[in-house]
Amino acid sequence: MMAEWITVITAVIASVTSYLIGRSKNKTDLAKAERDNSAQLDKEKQAHDSELEKFYALQMTTIIGEYKEQLSGLRTEIDTLKKEFSEFRKSHEKEVTDYKRYIELLEEENEGLKVEVEHLKAEVEELKGGI
């Protein structure tokens, strides 16, 4: 009978020992799995952050490229407007100069006509006096 109890006690001790060893192994495996998962999550987060940074850089590069194109277009437009304004000013200055010269000629002609009118008035007065 004692041999049976020894077998039972040995079986219980073996079972408890197996349970404790299994539980310890499970905790170790669980901790390792958590570390592995944490490491994997960190890698995935870094990969995601890296992709996000690449996407952001690409978008910023696109925006900056479009901005440069707009600036280039505006510079071209400004240069065209400067050229047109310069041509307009030259043309306007020529017109003003031509009008000033025309006014001077008209004033000279007017002075000549005033003198002629004075002569004609004098002539009319002479003719009136002779009648």
Side-chain angles (χ1 to χ4, degrees):
M1 175 111 166
M2 186 78 113
E4 290 176 9
W5 280 103
I6 291 177
T7 305
V8 171
I9 291 176
T10 304
V12 169
I13 292 173
S15 295
V16 169
T17 304
S18 293
Y19 170 76
L20 292 175
I21 290 173
R23 186 171 173 208
S24 174
K25 184 176 182 319
N26 283 343
K27 283 184 179 179
T28 304
D29 290 347
L30 182 60
K32 183 180 181 290
E34 286 175 350
R35 281 193 309 273
D36 290 347
N37 285 341
S38 178
Q40 182 63 29
L41 286 174
D42 286 344
K43 286 180 186 177
E44 288 177 10
K45 183 181 179 295
Q46 287 175 352
H48 177 70
D49 289 348
S50 176
E51 288 298 316
L52 189 58
E53 286 175 10
K54 287 178 187 176
F55 176 74
Y56 177 75
L58 178 64
Q59 292 300 313
M60 290 306 295
T61 302
T62 302
I63 290 169
I64 289 170
E66 289 174 2
Y67 176 71
K68 285 180 179 180
E69 285 179 30
Q70 287 178 351
L71 282 179
S72 176
L74 288 173
R75 283 187 184 120
T76 302
E77 204 172 317
I78 287 171
D79 290 343
T80 301
L81 289 172
K82 283 181 180 178
K83 183 180 175 185
E84 287 175 5
F85 180 74
S86 176
E87 290 170 1
F88 170 77
R89 186 171 31 178
K90 287 177 186 176
S91 171
H92 180 69
E93 287 174 356
K94 183 181 180 319
E95 286 178 9
V96 168
T97 303
D98 290 346
Y99 282 129
K100 285 180 180 178
R101 180 67 189 133
Y102 181 66
I103 289 170
E104 288 173 3
L105 291 174
L106 289 175
E107 287 175 347
E108 289 173 9
E109 185 179 341
N110 190 29
E111 289 299 317
L113 290 173
K114 283 182 181 178
V115 170
E116 189 177 332
V117 166
E118 290 300 318
H119 287 299
L120 289 173
K121 282 183 182 179
E123 198 177 308
V124 166
E125 288 299 320
E126 270 183 42
L127 289 174
K128 281 184 183 178
I131 300 185

